[in-house]
Amino acid sequence: MNIFIGCSASEYIADKYTEDCKIFLEELFSLDNNLVFGVCSKGLMGLSYDIAIRNGRLVKGICPLLYIEELKKIRCTEEEITKTIGARTDMLVQESDALIFLPGGIGTVYELFSAIEWKRSHEFNKPIIIYNSFGHFDKLLEFLDVI
């Protein structure tokens, strides 16, 4: 299965998220799952990449022109370059069988909300999983309950 991992690309993510997500990702990529991700060698995104590679999984990196230098730091099984962040998000979803969101910032929330809207409007019917490590998404989930 091709799994999109949406998560932090920052090296300043709290250690508690890194340690917790590491356990989750080790289990995920010990199974027959491949990684589809937005190309970054730092943060939880870099951790996802490292664990997928260590487990012998295929990695599809989809990179916008804005972050092309980041693509040079890693080796993906397959690489795609898009003109914009929006085009990258579209392709990430198209190339995935399921979407998993780990702790992250505004980019992660953008990808999550895009996926929720596409699912709501019946543009796709793929699973969307929010891994709410240490309650990272609690406030966001409360917000979704009231809208």
Side-chain angles (χ1 to χ4, degrees), residues 1-144:
M1 181 178 288
N2 293 326
I3 306 288
F4 164 65
I5 303 288
C7 58
S8 173
S10 171
E11 58 194 330
Y12 302 109
I13 188 88
D15 289 342
K16 66 181 182 180
Y17 299 126
T18 302
E19 293 306 313
D20 184 46
C21 291
K22 181 178 182 180
I23 295 165
F24 175 78
L25 291 164
E26 290 283 1
E27 181 66 25
L28 182 70
F29 292 118
S30 73
L31 305 171
D32 193 23
N33 295 309
N34 298 311
L35 174 64
V36 178
F37 84 132
V39 181
C40 186
S41 62
K42 295 178 268 189
L44 296 178
M45 206 180 289
L47 180 66
S48 300
Y49 169 83
D50 291 342
I51 292 172
I53 291 295
R54 192 171 342 116
N55 281 279
R57 300 293 154 217
L58 301 176
V59 174
K60 181 161 190 168
I62 302 173
C63 183
L65 286 172
L66 180 64
Y67 300 128
I68 200 75
E69 289 302 312
E70 195 63 31
L71 183 60
K72 295 175 184 177
K73 297 177 185 177
I74 60 175
R75 296 183 65 109
C76 298
T77 311
E78 188 177 344
E79 299 172 350
E80 296 282 346
I81 298 171
T82 64
K83 288 184 180 180
T84 65
I85 297 285
R88 174 184 76 169
T89 301
D90 290 348
M91 188 175 286
L92 288 166
V93 171
Q94 290 170 7
E95 297 294 323
S96 302
D97 300 310
L99 295 82
I100 299 176
F101 294 90
L102 307 178
I106 194 68
T108 304
V109 172
Y110 164 73
E111 293 163 346
L112 174 60
F113 274 48
S114 295
I116 290 170
E117 174 56 20
W118 292 328
K119 190 159 187 165
R120 186 201 64 80
S121 62
H122 306 287
E123 292 187 36
F124 78 82
N125 192 29
K126 299 174 183 183
I128 299 171
I129 299 160
I130 298 172
Y131 185 71
N132 195 20
S133 177
F134 288 95
H136 180 79
F137 291 107
D138 283 352
K139 297 288 185 190
L140 186 67
L141 294 170
E142 287 175 25
F143 173 72
L144 289 171

